[in-house]
Amino acid sequence: MFSLPSGRSKSRLRKQVLLFGISVLLPALVLLFFTVRMNRQDKELRKQRAEEAKQLKAQEIGQHLADLLNKTKGTLLQEMDSNPNWIKTIYQSFPDLVYAGTIVEGDLKMSWDIIREEMSISQTDNSEKLILQAQQAEFSLNDLRLAKTLLNQALSTSIMPVQKSSIQLQLGRILFKSEDEEEALRIYGGILGQSMDLTDEYGIPFALFAADRLSLMSQEFNPILDRIEVLMERRQMLPSSALYLIRDITEQIQDRTQESKQLERIKILREAAVISLEDIKRIKSLEVLVGSWILRRNSSEHVGDSLTWEAHGDLPLIVGIHEKSEDQSPVLLAFDGPKILSTVIKEAGLAETFPGSCQMITNPNGGGIRPGGPFRGFWLLFDDMEVSDWSQSSLPFPIFYWLILFLVVGFTAFGGYLVWRDVSRELAIADMRSHFAASVSHELKTPLTAIRMFAEALTMGVHKRPEDQQEYLQTIISESERLTRLLNNVLDFSKIEQGTRTYRFEPTSLEETVRTAERALAFHLDQKGFKLQVELDEGIPPALADRDAIEQAVLNLLHNAMKYSGESRDILLKLRREGDTARIEVIDSGIGISDEDRSSIFGKFFRVTGIENQRIPGAGLGLTIVTHIAQSHGGRIEVDSRLGQGSTFSLVLPLEAK
Ligand code: ADP
């Protein structure tokens, strides 16, 4: 853009880069640094807060869980105290309860144990005898008819419902054996409908035995499935043998049916049976816990009512043991951990208060959090969610923040660039101005020295010959003209700078103006050995122009042609009409101008740098003034030049309008 002397320009450039760095880059970097740091800190803080939020949530969930468990415990104990049949109803009212029972002599009492106790009232009555005789007739004598009669007698004398069901079952078998299938079906159908409380001494309902027979004999499976479904509603009452039997029955039906609805029901029943078997296993495994509880009780003073809920098992059961007094059996309550957790979350309306889900784990290696409340052996694990789901950023709209930062930095950098560009331009102009002062002084000195030298020679009368004297005088005149032109340029330029340069427009013959300029320079050209060829179109109409200004412009161009002609001594001056415009061309075959410099030569004080140019005097004002003159006349200046081949400067002026 601007060429500067290289040594100085380097140090100036360094200064500018430093200035730019301090004023723009440094603050922007500091801003960036703080933003990044703030963001990082914010992230850390959010992580911390998310952890705290999780801790708090675990506390809250734990408290709710403890409340629910303790409340349920109260209700359950009351029910167990007041309702002798509690075992049959309790599981329906508390779906998350897996086990409620007493610890007798270190063992857990299962529901079927209780029922067995109820049933074991021995009956050595008449019907019992008849049953034995019937069995003898059936198995030893192989007399099915006798066996049937005996059983029918026993049935009519028996008063115990359980005994009756047992007799009916045997009767059914004998009927089946004696190929009275219809009657057998009827009997089994009757047993199938009987209450679930009627079980054998192992707690297996008679209805299930009937279902087993029917699943092999009957074609009607729906009543069997209906019944099993009802039985499964109280599945906690069924011992594992009953559950295995259910599995067998469903398998038998599965082999005999194609109906998709029935198959679907079977699938559900079997899944439920598997779960129940699992539950029984889980309950059995509690014996370890009971053992350690007893140890603790024996070693410490009192375990009593200060109840700690303890998790046990992989699929944890939440277990609480309650001991009312020394002489009453302790009560153990076990809830399904995951189920009761989700009940609590649902009932306390906690699901909405944290993101994702929450699980109960018995191994905290995966990052669990201890819940609030009196618990042992389990931890809560929240989903591995994004930190932002748990904790909001303290910076409002982080994206906007980044955007604003980006804009601020962007604008600062752009502003900085503009300042830098302006400053460098100013610096370059200042540099040129000082260069200009030196050039002008030098330019003034040369003609003044010549004038003085020739004037002194004349006064001293060294040369007596009139031709010589004449030549000296001409030189003095031409040098003073050069002085005048230089001063005119300087004055014009200062007027242009101040905006006070005025033109007097009047109809002007361009042909005459060009001729005047040619004449004014003729001696000078001649002296330096130049050959100026002039080609003027005739009949060009007068232009509205300032005659002196146009002449000055042409002279400036001609002077440049002479100065930058190098070895060449040919200059061509042309005046042509081009439609509504006139074109004055000054063509030389001199040193030419590089492509790079061509756009800059019209700038003020600009001088092409280079060894060749440095030797040629000049102030970098000539073309600036020509440009101003051309533009003030509504015209333009054009240049066409090739380095080493010469240049053509064209002053294009409008002929009609100003
Ligand atoms: P100067 O006083 O230096 O001649 P000008 O404004 O007239 O100032 O010219 C600016 C620069 O343009 C010159 O320094 C020169 O390098 C270049 N220049 C002008 N005219 C010519 C030309 N006819 N041939 C080659 N270079 C030229």
Side-chain angles (χ1 to χ4, degrees), residues 533-555:
Q533 193 187 333
V534 185
E535 290 173 13
L536 303 178
D537 277 5
E538 277 177 16
I540 296 177
L544 200 59
D546 183 320
R547 194 191 161 93
D548 293 342
I550 301 294
E551 190 187 321
Q552 188 188 3
V554 175
L555 278 174

mmCIF file with all atom_site columns, all heavy atoms in Angstrom, residues 533-555:
data_model
loop_
_atom_site.group_PDB
_atom_site.id
_atom_site.type_symbol
_atom_site.label_atom_id
_atom_site.label_alt_id
_atom_site.label_comp_id
_atom_site.label_asym_id
_atom_site.label_entity_id
_atom_site.label_seq_id
_atom_site.pdbx_PDB_ins_code
_atom_site.Cartn_x
_atom_site.Cartn_y
_atom_site.Cartn_z
_atom_site.occupancy
_atom_site.B_iso_or_equiv
_atom_site.pdbx_formal_charge
_atom_site.auth_seq_id
_atom_site.auth_comp_id
_atom_site.auth_asym_id
_atom_site.auth_atom_id
_atom_site.pdbx_PDB_model_num
ATOM 1   N N   . GLN A 1 533 ? 7.109   14.962 -30.047 1.00 0.00 ? 533 GLN A N   1
ATOM 2   C CA  . GLN A 1 533 ? 6.255   14.891 -31.224 1.00 0.00 ? 533 GLN A CA  1
ATOM 3   C C   . GLN A 1 533 ? 4.841   15.223 -30.767 1.00 0.00 ? 533 GLN A C   1
ATOM 4   O O   . GLN A 1 533 ? 4.364   14.674 -29.777 1.00 0.00 ? 533 GLN A O   1
ATOM 5   C CB  . GLN A 1 533 ? 6.302   13.472 -31.779 1.00 0.00 ? 533 GLN A CB  1
ATOM 6   C CG  . GLN A 1 533 ? 5.718   13.357 -33.159 1.00 0.00 ? 533 GLN A CG  1
ATOM 7   C CD  . GLN A 1 533 ? 5.635   11.897 -33.575 1.00 0.00 ? 533 GLN A CD  1
ATOM 8   O OE1 . GLN A 1 533 ? 6.424   11.070 -33.104 1.00 0.00 ? 533 GLN A OE1 1
ATOM 9   N NE2 . GLN A 1 533 ? 4.696   11.605 -34.440 1.00 0.00 ? 533 GLN A NE2 1
ATOM 10  N N   . VAL A 1 534 ? 4.216   16.171 -31.483 1.00 0.00 ? 534 VAL A N   1
ATOM 11  C CA  . VAL A 1 534 ? 2.878   16.602 -31.061 1.00 0.00 ? 534 VAL A CA  1
ATOM 12  C C   . VAL A 1 534 ? 1.868   16.238 -32.142 1.00 0.00 ? 534 VAL A C   1
ATOM 13  O O   . VAL A 1 534 ? 2.062   16.565 -33.307 1.00 0.00 ? 534 VAL A O   1
ATOM 14  C CB  . VAL A 1 534 ? 2.846   18.126 -30.797 1.00 0.00 ? 534 VAL A CB  1
ATOM 15  C CG1 . VAL A 1 534 ? 1.502   18.540 -30.246 1.00 0.00 ? 534 VAL A CG1 1
ATOM 16  C CG2 . VAL A 1 534 ? 3.949   18.507 -29.818 1.00 0.00 ? 534 VAL A CG2 1
ATOM 17  N N   . GLU A 1 535 ? 0.772   15.550 -31.746 1.00 0.00 ? 535 GLU A N   1
ATOM 18  C CA  . GLU A 1 535 ? -0.293  15.215 -32.693 1.00 0.00 ? 535 GLU A CA  1
ATOM 19  C C   . GLU A 1 535 ? -1.592  15.754 -32.146 1.00 0.00 ? 535 GLU A C   1
ATOM 20  O O   . GLU A 1 535 ? -2.054  15.313 -31.092 1.00 0.00 ? 535 GLU A O   1
ATOM 21  C CB  . GLU A 1 535 ? -0.418  13.692 -32.849 1.00 0.00 ? 535 GLU A CB  1
ATOM 22  C CG  . GLU A 1 535 ? 0.753   13.076 -33.574 1.00 0.00 ? 535 GLU A CG  1
ATOM 23  C CD  . GLU A 1 535 ? 0.698   11.551 -33.570 1.00 0.00 ? 535 GLU A CD  1
ATOM 24  O OE1 . GLU A 1 535 ? -0.369  10.986 -33.213 1.00 0.00 ? 535 GLU A OE1 1
ATOM 25  O OE2 . GLU A 1 535 ? 1.726   10.940 -33.888 1.00 0.00 ? 535 GLU A OE2 1
ATOM 26  N N   . LEU A 1 536 ? -2.167  16.755 -32.880 1.00 0.00 ? 536 LEU A N   1
ATOM 27  C CA  . LEU A 1 536 ? -3.390  17.372 -32.378 1.00 0.00 ? 536 LEU A CA  1
ATOM 28  C C   . LEU A 1 536 ? -4.519  17.187 -33.377 1.00 0.00 ? 536 LEU A C   1
ATOM 29  O O   . LEU A 1 536 ? -4.350  17.495 -34.548 1.00 0.00 ? 536 LEU A O   1
ATOM 30  C CB  . LEU A 1 536 ? -3.177  18.866 -32.130 1.00 0.00 ? 536 LEU A CB  1
ATOM 31  C CG  . LEU A 1 536 ? -2.039  19.235 -31.159 1.00 0.00 ? 536 LEU A CG  1
ATOM 32  C CD1 . LEU A 1 536 ? -1.919  20.757 -31.051 1.00 0.00 ? 536 LEU A CD1 1
ATOM 33  C CD2 . LEU A 1 536 ? -2.311  18.667 -29.779 1.00 0.00 ? 536 LEU A CD2 1
ATOM 34  N N   . ASP A 1 537 ? -5.662  16.650 -32.929 1.00 0.00 ? 537 ASP A N   1
ATOM 35  C CA  . ASP A 1 537 ? -6.858  16.599 -33.780 1.00 0.00 ? 537 ASP A CA  1
ATOM 36  C C   . ASP A 1 537 ? -7.351  18.018 -33.969 1.00 0.00 ? 537 ASP A C   1
ATOM 37  O O   . ASP A 1 537 ? -7.310  18.815 -33.032 1.00 0.00 ? 537 ASP A O   1
ATOM 38  C CB  . ASP A 1 537 ? -7.972  15.788 -33.096 1.00 0.00 ? 537 ASP A CB  1
ATOM 39  C CG  . ASP A 1 537 ? -7.759  14.303 -33.333 1.00 0.00 ? 537 ASP A CG  1
ATOM 40  O OD1 . ASP A 1 537 ? -6.725  13.958 -33.934 1.00 0.00 ? 537 ASP A OD1 1
ATOM 41  O OD2 . ASP A 1 537 ? -8.617  13.505 -32.874 1.00 0.00 ? 537 ASP A OD2 1
ATOM 42  N N   . GLU A 1 538 ? -7.851  18.239 -35.151 1.00 0.00 ? 538 GLU A N   1
ATOM 43  C CA  . GLU A 1 538 ? -8.343  19.595 -35.377 1.00 0.00 ? 538 GLU A CA  1
ATOM 44  C C   . GLU A 1 538 ? -9.842  19.657 -35.137 1.00 0.00 ? 538 GLU A C   1
ATOM 45  O O   . GLU A 1 538 ? -10.531 18.641 -35.180 1.00 0.00 ? 538 GLU A O   1
ATOM 46  C CB  . GLU A 1 538 ? -8.012  20.037 -36.793 1.00 0.00 ? 538 GLU A CB  1
ATOM 47  C CG  . GLU A 1 538 ? -6.580  20.561 -36.847 1.00 0.00 ? 538 GLU A CG  1
ATOM 48  C CD  . GLU A 1 538 ? -6.139  20.948 -38.244 1.00 0.00 ? 538 GLU A CD  1
ATOM 49  O OE1 . GLU A 1 538 ? -7.023  21.095 -39.096 1.00 0.00 ? 538 GLU A OE1 1
ATOM 50  O OE2 . GLU A 1 538 ? -4.926  21.065 -38.433 1.00 0.00 ? 538 GLU A OE2 1
ATOM 51  N N   . GLY A 1 539 ? -10.313 20.871 -34.879 1.00 0.00 ? 539 GLY A N   1
ATOM 52  C CA  . GLY A 1 539 ? -11.757 21.102 -34.750 1.00 0.00 ? 539 GLY A CA  1
ATOM 53  C C   . GLY A 1 539 ? -12.366 20.575 -33.475 1.00 0.00 ? 539 GLY A C   1
ATOM 54  O O   . GLY A 1 539 ? -13.574 20.309 -33.411 1.00 0.00 ? 539 GLY A O   1
ATOM 55  N N   . ILE A 1 540 ? -11.539 20.441 -32.454 1.00 0.00 ? 540 ILE A N   1
ATOM 56  C CA  . ILE A 1 540 ? -12.117 20.025 -31.160 1.00 0.00 ? 540 ILE A CA  1
ATOM 57  C C   . ILE A 1 540 ? -12.787 21.247 -30.543 1.00 0.00 ? 540 ILE A C   1
ATOM 58  O O   . ILE A 1 540 ? -12.159 22.299 -30.415 1.00 0.00 ? 540 ILE A O   1
ATOM 59  C CB  . ILE A 1 540 ? -11.029 19.466 -30.238 1.00 0.00 ? 540 ILE A CB  1
ATOM 60  C CG1 . ILE A 1 540 ? -10.455 18.184 -30.863 1.00 0.00 ? 540 ILE A CG1 1
ATOM 61  C CG2 . ILE A 1 540 ? -11.555 19.204 -28.836 1.00 0.00 ? 540 ILE A CG2 1
ATOM 62  C CD1 . ILE A 1 540 ? -9.325  17.560 -30.088 1.00 0.00 ? 540 ILE A CD1 1
ATOM 63  N N   . PRO A 1 541 ? -14.060 21.115 -30.161 1.00 0.00 ? 541 PRO A N   1
ATOM 64  C CA  . PRO A 1 541 ? -14.759 22.276 -29.608 1.00 0.00 ? 541 PRO A CA  1
ATOM 65  C C   . PRO A 1 541 ? -14.155 22.685 -28.272 1.00 0.00 ? 541 PRO A C   1
ATOM 66  O O   . PRO A 1 541 ? -13.552 21.867 -27.577 1.00 0.00 ? 541 PRO A O   1
ATOM 67  C CB  . PRO A 1 541 ? -16.190 21.774 -29.433 1.00 0.00 ? 541 PRO A CB  1
ATOM 68  C CG  . PRO A 1 541 ? -16.103 20.299 -29.379 1.00 0.00 ? 541 PRO A CG  1
ATOM 69  C CD  . PRO A 1 541 ? -14.912 19.927 -30.198 1.00 0.00 ? 541 PRO A CD  1
ATOM 70  N N   . PRO A 1 542 ? -14.328 23.976 -27.907 1.00 0.00 ? 542 PRO A N   1
ATOM 71  C CA  . PRO A 1 542 ? -13.768 24.426 -26.624 1.00 0.00 ? 542 PRO A CA  1
ATOM 72  C C   . PRO A 1 542 ? -14.428 23.710 -25.442 1.00 0.00 ? 542 PRO A C   1
ATOM 73  O O   . PRO A 1 542 ? -15.600 23.389 -25.493 1.00 0.00 ? 542 PRO A O   1
ATOM 74  C CB  . PRO A 1 542 ? -14.065 25.915 -26.598 1.00 0.00 ? 542 PRO A CB  1
ATOM 75  C CG  . PRO A 1 542 ? -15.138 26.140 -27.600 1.00 0.00 ? 542 PRO A CG  1
ATOM 76  C CD  . PRO A 1 542 ? -15.055 25.055 -28.619 1.00 0.00 ? 542 PRO A CD  1
ATOM 77  N N   . ALA A 1 543 ? -13.607 23.505 -24.429 1.00 0.00 ? 543 ALA A N   1
ATOM 78  C CA  . ALA A 1 543 ? -14.150 22.855 -23.209 1.00 0.00 ? 543 ALA A CA  1
ATOM 79  C C   . ALA A 1 543 ? -14.304 23.915 -22.144 1.00 0.00 ? 543 ALA A C   1
ATOM 80  O O   . ALA A 1 543 ? -13.598 24.932 -22.161 1.00 0.00 ? 543 ALA A O   1
ATOM 81  C CB  . ALA A 1 543 ? -13.184 21.784 -22.735 1.00 0.00 ? 543 ALA A CB  1
ATOM 82  N N   . LEU A 1 544 ? -15.231 23.659 -21.204 1.00 0.00 ? 544 LEU A N   1
ATOM 83  C CA  . LEU A 1 544 ? -15.392 24.590 -20.097 1.00 0.00 ? 544 LEU A CA  1
ATOM 84  C C   . LEU A 1 544 ? -14.323 24.229 -19.069 1.00 0.00 ? 544 LEU A C   1
ATOM 85  O O   . LEU A 1 544 ? -14.432 23.259 -18.333 1.00 0.00 ? 544 LEU A O   1
ATOM 86  C CB  . LEU A 1 544 ? -16.809 24.412 -19.505 1.00 0.00 ? 544 LEU A CB  1
ATOM 87  C CG  . LEU A 1 544 ? -17.336 25.576 -18.686 1.00 0.00 ? 544 LEU A CG  1
ATOM 88  C CD1 . LEU A 1 544 ? -17.380 26.859 -19.507 1.00 0.00 ? 544 LEU A CD1 1
ATOM 89  C CD2 . LEU A 1 544 ? -18.725 25.234 -18.156 1.00 0.00 ? 544 LEU A CD2 1
ATOM 90  N N   . ALA A 1 545 ? -13.256 25.018 -19.037 1.00 0.00 ? 545 ALA A N   1
ATOM 91  C CA  . ALA A 1 545 ? -12.120 24.595 -18.206 1.00 0.00 ? 545 ALA A CA  1
ATOM 92  C C   . ALA A 1 545 ? -11.318 25.798 -17.743 1.00 0.00 ? 545 ALA A C   1
ATOM 93  O O   . ALA A 1 545 ? -11.477 26.906 -18.249 1.00 0.00 ? 545 ALA A O   1
ATOM 94  C CB  . ALA A 1 545 ? -11.226 23.659 -19.007 1.00 0.00 ? 545 ALA A CB  1
ATOM 95  N N   . ASP A 1 546 ? -10.447 25.512 -16.731 1.00 0.00 ? 546 ASP A N   1
ATOM 96  C CA  . ASP A 1 546 ? -9.520  26.538 -16.240 1.00 0.00 ? 546 ASP A CA  1
ATOM 97  C C   . ASP A 1 546 ? -8.243  26.362 -17.048 1.00 0.00 ? 546 ASP A C   1
ATOM 98  O O   . ASP A 1 546 ? -7.532  25.364 -16.882 1.00 0.00 ? 546 ASP A O   1
ATOM 99  C CB  . ASP A 1 546 ? -9.273  26.316 -14.733 1.00 0.00 ? 546 ASP A CB  1
ATOM 100 C CG  . ASP A 1 546 ? -8.368  27.388 -14.149 1.00 0.00 ? 546 ASP A CG  1
ATOM 101 O OD1 . ASP A 1 546 ? -7.403  27.774 -14.842 1.00 0.00 ? 546 ASP A OD1 1
ATOM 102 O OD2 . ASP A 1 546 ? -8.635  27.813 -13.012 1.00 0.00 ? 546 ASP A OD2 1
ATOM 103 N N   . ARG A 1 547 ? -7.979  27.296 -17.879 1.00 0.00 ? 547 ARG A N   1
ATOM 104 C CA  . ARG A 1 547 ? -6.879  27.186 -18.822 1.00 0.00 ? 547 ARG A CA  1
ATOM 105 C C   . ARG A 1 547 ? -5.540  26.938 -18.126 1.00 0.00 ? 547 ARG A C   1
ATOM 106 O O   . ARG A 1 547 ? -4.798  26.027 -18.479 1.00 0.00 ? 547 ARG A O   1
ATOM 107 C CB  . ARG A 1 547 ? -6.826  28.504 -19.617 1.00 0.00 ? 547 ARG A CB  1
ATOM 108 C CG  . ARG A 1 547 ? -5.969  28.452 -20.839 1.00 0.00 ? 547 ARG A CG  1
ATOM 109 C CD  . ARG A 1 547 ? -5.778  29.867 -21.379 1.00 0.00 ? 547 ARG A CD  1
ATOM 110 N NE  . ARG A 1 547 ? -4.632  29.868 -22.241 1.00 0.00 ? 547 ARG A NE  1
ATOM 111 C CZ  . ARG A 1 547 ? -4.683  29.692 -23.553 1.00 0.00 ? 547 ARG A CZ  1
ATOM 112 N NH1 . ARG A 1 547 ? -5.867  29.563 -24.147 1.00 0.00 ? 547 ARG A NH1 1
ATOM 113 N NH2 . ARG A 1 547 ? -3.598  29.658 -24.280 1.00 0.00 ? 547 ARG A NH2 1
ATOM 114 N N   . ASP A 1 548 ? -5.273  27.763 -17.075 1.00 0.00 ? 548 ASP A N   1
ATOM 115 C CA  . ASP A 1 548 ? -3.987  27.637 -16.378 1.00 0.00 ? 548 ASP A CA  1
ATOM 116 C C   . ASP A 1 548 ? -3.836  26.262 -15.734 1.00 0.00 ? 548 ASP A C   1
ATOM 117 O O   . ASP A 1 548 ? -2.757  25.665 -15.734 1.00 0.00 ? 548 ASP A O   1
ATOM 118 C CB  . ASP A 1 548 ? -3.859  28.719 -15.300 1.00 0.00 ? 548 ASP A CB  1
ATOM 119 C CG  . ASP A 1 548 ? -3.754  30.102 -15.953 1.00 0.00 ? 548 ASP A CG  1
ATOM 120 O OD1 . ASP A 1 548 ? -3.433  30.144 -17.167 1.00 0.00 ? 548 ASP A OD1 1
ATOM 121 O OD2 . ASP A 1 548 ? -4.038  31.108 -15.261 1.00 0.00 ? 548 ASP A OD2 1
ATOM 122 N N   . ALA A 1 549 ? -4.968  25.808 -15.176 1.00 0.00 ? 549 ALA A N   1
ATOM 123 C CA  . ALA A 1 549 ? -4.919  24.499 -14.491 1.00 0.00 ? 549 ALA A CA  1
ATOM 124 C C   . ALA A 1 549 ? -4.610  23.382 -15.471 1.00 0.00 ? 549 ALA A C   1
ATOM 125 O O   . ALA A 1 549 ? -3.761  22.519 -15.198 1.00 0.00 ? 549 ALA A O   1
ATOM 126 C CB  . ALA A 1 549 ? -6.247  24.230 -13.788 1.00 0.00 ? 549 ALA A CB  1
ATOM 127 N N   . ILE A 1 550 ? -5.289  23.403 -16.632 1.00 0.00 ? 550 ILE A N   1
ATOM 128 C CA  . ILE A 1 550 ? -5.060  22.347 -17.630 1.00 0.00 ? 550 ILE A CA  1
ATOM 129 C C   . ILE A 1 550 ? -3.608  22.403 -18.110 1.00 0.00 ? 550 ILE A C   1
ATOM 130 O O   . ILE A 1 550 ? -2.937  21.383 -18.235 1.00 0.00 ? 550 ILE A O   1
ATOM 131 C CB  . ILE A 1 550 ? -6.021  22.484 -18.825 1.00 0.00 ? 550 ILE A CB  1
ATOM 132 C CG1 . ILE A 1 550 ? -7.482  22.405 -18.362 1.00 0.00 ? 550 ILE A CG1 1
ATOM 133 C CG2 . ILE A 1 550 ? -5.738  21.421 -19.894 1.00 0.00 ? 550 ILE A CG2 1
ATOM 134 C CD1 . ILE A 1 550 ? -7.918  21.082 -17.799 1.00 0.00 ? 550 ILE A CD1 1
ATOM 135 N N   . GLU A 1 551 ? -3.128  23.625 -18.301 1.00 0.00 ? 551 GLU A N   1
ATOM 136 C CA  . GLU A 1 551 ? -1.747  23.778 -18.763 1.00 0.00 ? 551 GLU A CA  1
ATOM 137 C C   . GLU A 1 551 ? -0.778  23.213 -17.707 1.00 0.00 ? 551 GLU A C   1
ATOM 138 O O   . GLU A 1 551 ? 0.158   22.481 -18.036 1.00 0.00 ? 551 GLU A O   1
ATOM 139 C CB  . GLU A 1 551 ? -1.448  25.265 -19.004 1.00 0.00 ? 551 GLU A CB  1
ATOM 140 C CG  . GLU A 1 551 ? -0.124  25.478 -19.717 1.00 0.00 ? 551 GLU A CG  1
ATOM 141 C CD  . GLU A 1 551 ? 0.268   26.949 -19.809 1.00 0.00 ? 551 GLU A CD  1
ATOM 142 O OE1 . GLU A 1 551 ? -0.641  27.789 -20.031 1.00 0.00 ? 551 GLU A OE1 1
ATOM 143 O OE2 . GLU A 1 551 ? 1.458   27.233 -19.628 1.00 0.00 ? 551 GLU A OE2 1
ATOM 144 N N   . GLN A 1 552 ? -1.084  23.513 -16.450 1.00 0.00 ? 552 GLN A N   1
ATOM 145 C CA  . GLN A 1 552 ? -0.231  23.002 -15.360 1.00 0.00 ? 552 GLN A CA  1
ATOM 146 C C   . GLN A 1 552 ? -0.231  21.472 -15.344 1.00 0.00 ? 552 GLN A C   1
ATOM 147 O O   . GLN A 1 552 ? 0.808   20.832 -15.167 1.00 0.00 ? 552 GLN A O   1
ATOM 148 C CB  . GLN A 1 552 ? -0.764  23.528 -14.025 1.00 0.00 ? 552 GLN A CB  1
ATOM 149 C CG  . GLN A 1 552 ? 0.159   23.207 -12.869 1.00 0.00 ? 552 GLN A CG  1
ATOM 150 C CD  . GLN A 1 552 ? -0.474  23.559 -11.520 1.00 0.00 ? 552 GLN A CD  1
ATOM 151 O OE1 . GLN A 1 552 ? -1.629  23.992 -11.458 1.00 0.00 ? 552 GLN A OE1 1
ATOM 152 N NE2 . GLN A 1 552 ? 0.308   23.392 -10.472 1.00 0.00 ? 552 GLN A NE2 1
ATOM 153 N N   . ALA A 1 553 ? -1.441  20.888 -15.580 1.00 0.00 ? 553 ALA A N   1
ATOM 154 C CA  . ALA A 1 553 ? -1.544  19.423 -15.582 1.00 0.00 ? 553 ALA A CA  1
ATOM 155 C C   . ALA A 1 553 ? -0.708  18.831 -16.705 1.00 0.00 ? 553 ALA A C   1
ATOM 156 O O   . ALA A 1 553 ? 0.067   17.877 -16.490 1.00 0.00 ? 553 ALA A O   1
ATOM 157 C CB  . ALA A 1 553 ? -3.005  19.007 -15.727 1.00 0.00 ? 553 ALA A CB  1
ATOM 158 N N   . VAL A 1 554 ? -0.841  19.431 -17.911 1.00 0.00 ? 554 VAL A N   1
ATOM 159 C CA  . VAL A 1 554 ? -0.079  18.902 -19.056 1.00 0.00 ? 554 VAL A CA  1
ATOM 160 C C   . VAL A 1 554 ? 1.416   19.049 -18.794 1.00 0.00 ? 554 VAL A C   1
ATOM 161 O O   . VAL A 1 554 ? 2.205   18.136 -19.050 1.00 0.00 ? 554 VAL A O   1
ATOM 162 C CB  . VAL A 1 554 ? -0.498  19.619 -20.360 1.00 0.00 ? 554 VAL A CB  1
ATOM 163 C CG1 . VAL A 1 554 ? 0.366   19.156 -21.527 1.00 0.00 ? 554 VAL A CG1 1
ATOM 164 C CG2 . VAL A 1 554 ? -1.969  19.379 -20.658 1.00 0.00 ? 554 VAL A CG2 1
ATOM 165 N N   . LEU A 1 555 ? 1.808   20.192 -18.225 1.00 0.00 ? 555 LEU A N   1
ATOM 166 C CA  . LEU A 1 555 ? 3.225   20.408 -17.943 1.00 0.00 ? 555 LEU A CA  1
ATOM 167 C C   . LEU A 1 555 ? 3.746   19.385 -16.934 1.00 0.00 ? 555 LEU A C   1
ATOM 168 O O   . LEU A 1 555 ? 4.842   18.846 -17.082 1.00 0.00 ? 555 LEU A O   1
ATOM 169 C CB  . LEU A 1 555 ? 3.431   21.829 -17.399 1.00 0.00 ? 555 LEU A CB  1
ATOM 170 C CG  . LEU A 1 555 ? 3.516   22.922 -18.475 1.00 0.00 ? 555 LEU A CG  1
ATOM 171 C CD1 . LEU A 1 555 ? 3.560   24.304 -17.836 1.00 0.00 ? 555 LEU A CD1 1
ATOM 172 C CD2 . LEU A 1 555 ? 4.770   22.724 -19.339 1.00 0.00 ? 555 LEU A CD2 1
#
